[in-house]
Every structure is written in C-alpha cells, then in structure tokens.
Amino acid sequence: MTEPDLHRDRRRALSFGAIADAYDALRPRYSSVTVDAVCAAGDRVLDVGAGTGILSRQLRSRGASVLAVEPDPAMAEIVSGSGIPVEVATFEDWDAAGRVFDLVTFGQSFHWVDASAAIPRLASLVSPGGRVVLLWNKLRPSRPSNDELRSASSDYVNVDAVSSDPTHADFALAELSRRFADAGFAVTQREDSWVETQPADRWLDLIFTYSAHSTLPAERRAAMRAALAAVIGDDDVVIDASTIALIATR
C-alpha cells in the first residue's frame, strides 16, 4: 500500500500506459459489496488515479456522476472511451476549479500521491458529510502458496496491494487512519472477501500488470514467468481475495 516515497518514482507511476489494455482486461474489479457500501445514486464522484476507469465504471453503474483524474494519457484514453469524463493530470497538479464532491475515491492509487500534501487538500474537495475512500484489492494465492511462489523467483512480489507483510499492512492502515483523523475526518475500515480460481496463464498475465513486475528487464520478466509457471504446473491458481476500504468522512 505505502512503499516510502513511491509517489516520487514517476517511471513506475507512468509505466502502466504501455500495458493499458492488459491492465483493463486483467485487473480485478472491486468487491460489489464494498462499492455498494461507499457509493450512492446521485453522488458527485471524483475518481483520482483512475487508471483505465475500472472503479469509475463501477461507480457510474450505481448512478453516480463520475469525473476521473488520471496522469497517464494512454490510461485516460480508455476511461474517455467508456464515456466517463477524464482530466489528464497528477492529483498534485490537477485544478479543482472550485468544484466539490460527495465522494472522492482512490482505487489502488493512493500510494502514487504524496499523502502529506493530499490529505489536507482532500478536506477542501469533499462537501460536508462527504467521504474520501481509499480502496485496495488484496490478492493472495493459496494454491500454490505464496511461500512456494516466492521461493521460485527472487523477483516475485506477492500481488497484494496492501503488503506481503501483515504487520506492515496493519501499520500502514493505522497510520493513514491517524493522518485522516488529524485532518478532521471520521475514519472507518472494512474488508470484503471472496475466493476465485484463475487459469495459470491468466494469473501470470495479471501479475505482470503490477509495476514491480512490468518494469523488470525483459529477460528477468521471462525468467520469472517461467519459474512461476513451473511451480503452478497444470493446475489453476486459487486466490484468497479481498477489497480493503479506508473510509474517511468529513
């Protein structure tokens, strides 16, 4: 969720445009239970770091009026193609032009902004009673196990948007909750879980849409994929998945 100063690594932050179509096809959607809980019909929503619009489309399907902000033009083009208005900018450079929203969302994107600057700004972007919702999808393979996959390749990083280290995950959520509370928000958290099974090739395609893997040199990507495929064999991959939400209400 929060690698230190990850937002400063613009090479990684803007690496997704090269794989925009695969990202849109493969990245998991957010739990419908979670999205139902945080979005209401008629909400004015700002979706920050919208990527290809995965969360934006889920919000729109619930009757919200969605504006997306996305710094990568190739990703933003897919958002625009779905009929959702999008403004191409980083959150730090984006001009709100006096607009306020009922809901501001960050789907798998808050680690790409500077939290120390973003949180105070968010207080001015939501209407009284409005919410800022940070969402992450956590994907933890259970067959084969993370340990088996990790042992197969030194480049393997658990596809877990929070952290492969539960202690760090708990700390990061607690720290973000504290920062939002200090900025005058009431903070709650929720996690909605499911289990899914994916063919090995699809799961391997998916993990190479994460920047820690997609930005590896080509020969290391190929070696990593081969090593992981050997561990998986002819079996499908079973994934314990969940959507984690931090909900900050003004």
Side-chain angles (χ1 to χ4, degrees):
M1 180 205 309
T2 55
E3 294 181 40
D5 295 328
L6 184 57
H7 65 279
R8 300 183 190 277
D9 189 345
R10 301 317 297 168
R11 181 184 71 91
R12 278 182 64 179
L14 296 175
S15 67
F16 298 103
I19 54 170
D21 289 335
Y23 184 107
D24 192 56
L26 296 167
R27 282 294 184 101
R29 278 44 184 166
Y30 298 92
S31 163
S32 60
V33 176
T34 310
V35 179
D36 286 342
V38 301
C39 180
D43 276 348
R44 298 164 296 169
V45 180
L46 176 68
D47 187 23
V48 181
T52 59
I54 290 171
L55 177 58
S56 296
R57 295 193 295 269
Q58 289 185 266
L59 295 164
R60 182 182 61 180
S61 72
R62 285 153 175 82
S65 174
V66 183
L67 170 65
V69 173
E70 168 54 42
D72 190 307
M75 303 285 270
E77 185 176 355
I78 295 178
V79 181
S80 179
S82 68
I84 294 172
V86 57
E87 297 178 8
V88 180
T90 64
F91 183 58
E92 291 81 0
D93 293 337
W94 174 70
D95 182 5
R99 290 168 289 185
V100 295
F101 302 87
D102 304 306
L103 174 63
V104 179
T105 56
F106 290 80
Q108 211 89 3
S109 63
F110 195 73
H111 49 283
W112 296 119
V113 304
D114 180 356
S116 62
I119 292 173
R121 186 183 191 199
L122 287 165
S124 68
L125 286 175
V126 294
S127 56
R131 291 96 62 217
V132 176
V133 178
L134 316 184
L135 295 167
W136 298 272
N137 276 332
K138 181 172 68 173
L139 308 178
R140 184 176 293 277
S142 58
R143 191 188 71 201
S145 71
N146 259 327
D147 288 343
E148 291 174 291
L149 293 166
R150 188 177 293 113
S151 67
S153 172
S154 60
D155 286 317
Y156 175 71
V157 178
N158 179 33
V159 183
D160 176 332
V162 175
S163 171
S164 57
D165 177 352
T167 302
H168 174 72
D170 292 342
F171 170 80
L173 283 169
E175 175 63 13
L176 284 176
S177 296
R178 182 192 65 77
R179 289 190 180 194
F180 274 99
D182 288 347
F185 290 87
V187 182
T188 59
Q189 297 175 22
R190 65 178 295 143
E191 182 170 2
D192 297 296
S193 302
W194 72 97
V195 176
E196 65 177 76
T197 300
Q198 293 190 3
D201 281 345
R202 189 185 194 283
W203 182 80
L204 289 167
D205 289 344
L206 165 64
I207 68 170
F208 285 99
T209 69
Y210 288 83
S211 61
H213 300 152
S214 66
T215 56
L216 290 170
E219 65 275 12
R220 287 176 62 184
R221 291 200 308 271
M224 176 183 163
R225 184 175 183 120
L228 296 178
V231 172
I232 299 167
D234 295 329
D235 292 333
D236 292 336
V237 177
V238 178
I239 302 166
D240 294 330
S242 63
T243 296
I244 295 171
L246 188 154
I247 305 164
T249 303
R250 183 181 170 197

